[in-house]
Structures are given as C-alpha cells and as structure tokens.
Amino acid sequence: MKSFRPKDGSGEPPGQGWTRLGRNGERDFHKEKRSNETHASTTDPDARLYRKADGRESRLCFMGHVLMENRNGLAVDATLTHATGTAEREATLAMLDRRKGKHRITLGADKAYDVTGFIGDLRTRKVTPHIAVNGAVSKTGKTRRTAMDGRTLRHPGYAISQRIRKRIEEIFGWVKKPGGLAKAKVRGRPKVEAVFTFTIIACNLIRLPKLMRETPA
C-alpha cells in the first residue's frame, strides 16, 4: 500500500531510505483521497485498489475467477483480471464463451450477479441463470427488484444449484491456504495469472484421486 502513489509523481516516498530496523519508513494515509484514476502502485502497476464489501478495507489486488462443474466440484476454467466492480461478470461470460459444448446448461452464482444485463447475456448463450436474489433494501425502504424470473426461482433445480454453488468456496479456500495464494508472490498480471492457473490445476489434481476411488466400477 505504501507504493500506491500519485501518477503525476507528486507524492513523497514513504520515509527517507531504510530505518535501522530494516523497514522502509511509515506513511500516514489519513485524509488522503486515493483512487485508481489518480494513483498507481510503483511496484506493480497492474494491481488495483479494491474493496470487497462495505466496511472492509481497500487493498491492492487482482481478482481470480473460477468456473466449476456441479457434479464433482472440479474447476473447469479459471482466469485472472484487474480488480473492478464488473470483473466477476465479465470474466464469467468470457469463460462461458470458451466452453466447447454449446448445449444448454445452468449457472449458479451469488447475489452480486443479479444484474439484468448479465442475466440477459446468459440467456443469449443458452445458459439458464440460477442466480441468488439480491434483495437489498434501500434507505427509503424499497426492496431491490431482482432480474430473476419467478418460473426459474420455483424450479427444483434452482434450489439444488444454490446449495451446490457454495462449494466453489472450497476451491478458493484451498488456493489461499494450502495453495499459498493468499498474497501474490510475483508482480504483473501475466505472472500472477500463470501462478493462479497452475494453483487451480493443482487443486483439481489433489481431488481427482479421491473422486476416482469413489467412482463405481
């Protein structure tokens, strides 16, 4: 975060040189307005300042995305993007466009994907959206209108998708802890994406022997 400095070069470096403790000097960000439009990291310009949710701290990061099949919980595609508010939906459409089969499938996802344009894009790709309803309530007391239709919400398969989709958190949990990607150890989007992809492959390889033992002869 200390490397996130104004693009016009007006920011002072965090401290002068190295301290006797072997660390660079401290920097006070209090009352300093920073954004991706005006600031950039001097150590990794590809990283973006991003806040995951209201009340959470902003961090310099990338966003990793995974497409999972429901039967066995294996990752079938993965990609890494800049951290933006629309990156998740854009990456999902890109991964769906790469799939070989063009038969109709369902897609389960959380309420962040409950957006009219995104659900329309899924339907044009012969993908039935099984998206969690975003029932956020505004300050005036109005409940947000969902883009999901009632017929889909009543279908038995919708409830199954909503239960199974949460297994994707197992993949991300493995990537962050055993996979060691809670924090990127390389710089630049191409390198981080390569490490992320190999880590997803490793996650699948760890699970495959167990699945093969469970498969009936």
Side-chain angles (χ1 to χ4, degrees):
M1 292 298 293
K2 295 177 183 178
S3 73
F4 199 59
R5 297 167 56 189
K7 295 179 180 180
D8 59 10
S10 61
E12 292 295 330
Q16 302 297 323
W18 292 85
T19 69
R20 60 184 178 86
L21 298 177
R23 298 174 54 194
N24 57 335
E26 299 296 330
R27 182 175 177 182
D28 184 10
F29 301 119
H30 186 60
K31 293 184 178 180
E32 180 182 345
K33 186 177 181 179
R34 299 180 298 164
S35 70
N36 292 312
E37 287 71 29
T38 59
H39 289 59
S41 170
T42 57
T43 56
D44 191 351
D46 284 343
R48 297 290 184 271
L49 193 66
Y50 183 77
R51 183 175 62 182
K52 189 173 183 179
D54 292 340
R56 299 285 296 274
E57 72 280 7
S58 297
R59 294 183 176 182
L60 281 171
C61 59
F62 296 93
M63 294 185 75
H65 314 273
V66 177
L67 188 65
M68 181 191 77
E69 54 87 27
N70 288 344
R71 186 178 298 276
N72 300 299
L74 292 173
V76 296
D77 202 349
T79 188
L80 184 129
T81 66
H82 293 302
T84 70
T86 59
E88 290 179 314
R89 297 189 294 273
E90 292 168 354
T92 299
L93 296 177
M95 290 187 290
L96 289 173
D97 289 340
R98 290 201 292 258
R99 68 187 181 98
K100 293 182 179 180
K102 297 304 178 183
H103 58 282
R104 181 169 291 279
I105 62 172
T106 62
L107 179 78
D110 62 35
K111 62 183 181 181
Y113 295 80
D114 186 7
V115 178
T116 301
F118 175 74
I119 290 178
D121 289 336
L122 292 182
R123 296 191 184 282
T124 60
R125 288 168 169 78
K126 295 183 179 181
V127 177
T128 301
H130 283 181
I131 310 299
V133 173
N134 184 356
V137 179
S138 67
K139 294 181 180 180
T140 59
K142 291 185 177 181
T143 302
R144 183 181 181 276
R145 185 176 180 179
T146 179
M148 294 293 297
D149 63 275
R151 184 178 62 178
T152 300
L153 296 176
R154 291 189 297 269
H155 195 280
Y158 176 81
I160 296 173
S161 292
Q162 287 302 297
R163 184 175 68 253
I164 296 298
R165 71 172 176 81
K166 298 176 183 178
R167 293 189 62 186
I168 201 167
E169 297 301 332
E170 299 175 10
I171 297 177
F172 284 113
W174 193 95
V175 167
K176 292 178 180 179
K177 294 297 183 179
L181 263 186
K183 185 176 182 179
K185 299 176 177 64
V186 294
R187 296 292 180 265
R189 178 181 167 185
K191 291 182 180 180
V192 178
E193 183 169 21
V195 173
F196 178 71
T197 303
F198 278 117
T199 306
I200 294 296
I201 293 172
C203 181
N204 276 351
L205 291 175
I206 291 294
R207 295 205 62 243
L208 279 173
K210 181 179 179 181
L211 292 174
M212 294 173 69
R213 290 195 300 268
E214 295 176 351
T215 302

